[in-house]
Amino acid sequence: MYDRILAPTDGSRIAERAGEHACELARRFGADLSVATVLEDDDRERAERAVDAVAEHATERGVDATTEILDREASVAETVIEYATDHDVDCIVMGTQGRSGLDRFLLGSVAEELLRESPLPVVTVTEGADPRPDLERVLVATDGSDSATAATDHAIELATEAGATLHVVHVTDALLAGERETVEVAPGEEIGTDAIDDVLERAQGTDLETIHTAVVPGRTHQAILAYATEHDVDAIVMGTHGRTGLGRYLLGSTTERVVRFATVPVTGVRPEPGPTTTVEYLDYQVLEEQGWSLEDEDLFEQAAEADLGEDAYGTLEVEQGEYVLDAAEAEGEDWPFYCRVGGCVDCTAAVLEGDLEMDENRQLSDEEVEEKGFRLTCVGTPTTEEVTLVYNVKHHEDLQDRVM
Ligand code: FES
């Protein structure tokens, strides 16, 4: 499944460790290995030392490796992605700071950008991870989304090619769920949980004979990691979820949390980009200044005719599965937020047309969601082709006492 693997390195200990894993994967799958570093500060000697260190591991493992020193084109991650796509690379293996970084919230900006932007699978290896796992048990976590489906197909292929057992985990809301249910089934059978049944269907016709399935209650990333530890899993495969991040550094999605705390390599797989949603937005503070109201039927017509700046009124495109707040920030907008995990009201928007689905909501009441159309933009993804919303609704009198 892998004919060419790319191991980017910056010469750090973690990058070398990831390089060892890249060598192991290349050996196992008979792939060629490219070891690359991005030239920084014109320090060619340092760059050569970095690639040579990983190439030595490759030689020891009997793997063909070529080394490259890349001139930096844009960001380091973009340079790596451009090289990978130009050279028929099948996956990128790289190290991350994980929990031992300067700050537990830092994954490493290059790793984060690669996970977010790479069209190719990205295997991340933290400092504590075993770089040469046996690859006997592969876990795929699924929530039934398109992102998870892409990961599912990759995990099925990985488990099949490696002769490994596939474990499929679906995490449910801890408050709603009962006991953990685990069951071993054959591909094509059903267990009555849509997200898992979809995996079983997709595994039909492969060489996998038995699949271990588990419906697990709890907080998603913790439940996945606990399952992986208990079942001695060697590799985790998960979908990546569009753009995330506060200033591109704070980790938002489940996948990034799993990457950060995993003690085994984690493969992030990005789904093919789907259709985008056009979000027309308006700043709530403009309503207050202009004497307009959320109930005005012609609110957005008035906004379109008023001479408002792009920060106050405009449109933005949101990718499938992408959070609206992330999409706004990617466009350079500065919308309010506080926790980014569904635990406050600071990022609230009032959705007037279309809809957003929230991954989490621990602050808005049912009435605010159903009757006022309030949604949390930090965890809200569009479910309609067009959405019209007023952001900055934290200034609404109903939310004042809950603003952080
Ligand atoms: S910023 Fe707290 S829920 Fe969105």
Side-chain angles (χ1 to χ4, degrees):
M1 64 184 292
Y2 302 135
D3 293 323
R4 177 166 291 279
I5 292 171
L6 173 63
T9 176
D10 59 2
S12 65
R13 201 155 44 93
I14 303 172
E16 254 189 71
R17 205 167 175 78
E20 279 185 60
H21 184 58
C23 295
E24 175 60 17
L25 282 181
R27 185 197 61 76
R28 184 180 289 272
F29 291 102
D32 293 331
L33 181 69
S34 297
V35 183
T37 192
V38 178
L39 188 61
E40 306 228 52
D41 306 326
D42 270 338
D43 191 346
R44 197 158 281 275
E45 270 183 35
R46 185 206 60 80
E48 277 168 7
R49 277 199 307 276
V51 290
D52 287 349
V54 178
E56 270 172 37
H57 284 301
T59 306
E60 284 165 18
R61 309 288 294 166
V63 169
D64 284 338
T66 53
T67 58
E68 296 280 352
I69 296 175
L70 308 176
D71 288 323
R72 184 169 170 158
E73 299 292 342
S75 69
V76 172
E78 284 170 314
T79 307
V80 169
I81 290 169
E82 190 178 326
Y83 177 85
T85 48
D86 286 351
H87 291 79
D88 293 329
V89 165
D90 298 303
C91 83
I92 301 170
V93 181
M94 77 166 305
T96 77
Q97 288 168 312
R99 70 162 79 213
S100 64
L102 290 177
D103 178 325
R104 286 178 58 173
F105 290 98
L106 284 172
L107 173 62
S109 58
V110 175
E112 188 190 340
E113 193 178 344
L114 267 178
L115 272 174
R116 197 176 54 223
E117 303 293 347
S118 171
L120 305 168
V122 176
V123 184
T124 49
V125 181
T126 54
E127 197 171 10
D130 177 0
R132 290 203 285 273
D134 290 334
L135 216 46
E136 287 175 356
R137 284 165 289 273
V138 172
L139 182 157
V140 62
T142 178
D143 58 4
S145 65
D146 290 347
S147 182
T149 300
T152 293
D153 290 343
H154 191 87
I156 289 171
E157 195 180 352
L158 181 63
T160 305
E161 295 284 325
T165 310
L166 182 65
H167 290 244
V168 186
V169 173
H170 174 64
V171 182
T172 56
D173 191 322
L175 297 175
L176 301 177
E179 293 290 299
R180 165 194 292 190
E181 294 169 34
T182 57
V183 55
E184 288 177 33
V185 289
E189 287 184 27
E190 293 184 357
I191 66 160
T193 300
D194 289 348
I196 288 187
D197 289 345
D198 181 51
V199 179
L200 296 172
E201 193 183 329
R202 299 181 87 83
Q204 250 182 323
T206 66
D207 290 343
L208 295 176
E209 286 172 8
T210 307
I211 296 178
H212 295 244
T213 68
V215 179
V216 182
R219 282 178 68 84
T220 311
H221 70 285
Q222 289 168 345
I224 293 166
L225 290 169
Y227 182 96
T229 303
E230 275 173 39
H231 291 81
D232 216 6
V233 158
D234 301 305
I236 299 173
V237 183
M238 295 183 69
T240 56
H241 196 278
R243 301 185 181 95
T244 62
L246 158 63
R248 304 197 160 210
Y249 291 102
L250 180 63
L251 304 173
S253 75
T254 298
T255 302
E256 288 170 326
R257 288 189 185 123
V258 170
V259 164
R260 184 152 43 102
F261 294 111
T263 53
V264 295
V266 179
T267 305
V269 182
R270 198 174 89 162
E272 291 288 319
T276 59
T277 289
T278 303
V279 173
E280 187 178 12
Y281 61 84
L282 177 61
D283 183 350
Y284 185 76
Q285 285 191 301
V286 172
L287 274 64
E288 292 180 326
E289 287 159 18
Q290 303 275 355
W292 300 341
S293 148
L294 285 174
E295 280 74 45
D296 290 351
E297 295 225 333
D298 59 349
L299 179 60
F300 274 76
E301 283 80 10
Q302 295 183 85
E305 282 167 19
D307 193 18
L308 301 173
E310 250 184 52
D311 53 337
Y313 169 75
T315 59
L316 55 93
E317 294 299 313
V318 183
E319 288 173 22
Q320 220 171 32
E322 186 177 25
Y323 294 135
V324 171
L325 179 62
D326 290 336
E329 289 174 344
E331 293 295 319
E333 302 299 334
D334 189 18
W335 291 12
F337 64 86
Y338 183 75
C339 70
R340 295 184 92 101
V341 290
C344 71
V345 298
D346 290 39
C347 67
T348 304
V351 175
L352 305 185
E353 284 175 33
D355 205 358
L356 304 186
E357 181 178 63
M358 293 182 285
D359 285 355
E360 294 267 0
N361 168 29
R362 297 196 294 281
Q363 282 291 333
L364 298 175
S365 67
D366 289 349
E367 187 202 340
E368 285 167 338
V369 173
E370 282 155 26
E371 289 173 24
K372 295 182 179 163
F374 287 1
R375 300 287 187 274
L376 302 173
T377 59
C378 75
V379 288
T381 50
T383 55
T384 51
E385 283 176 20
E386 292 182 359
V387 170
T388 303
L389 60 79
V390 176
Y391 76 94
N392 218 359
V393 166
K394 71 173 195 174
H395 295 286
H396 192 288
E397 59 180 3
D398 291 356
L399 299 181
Q400 286 303 291
D401 57 343
R402 279 171 282 165
V403 172
M404 302 301 285

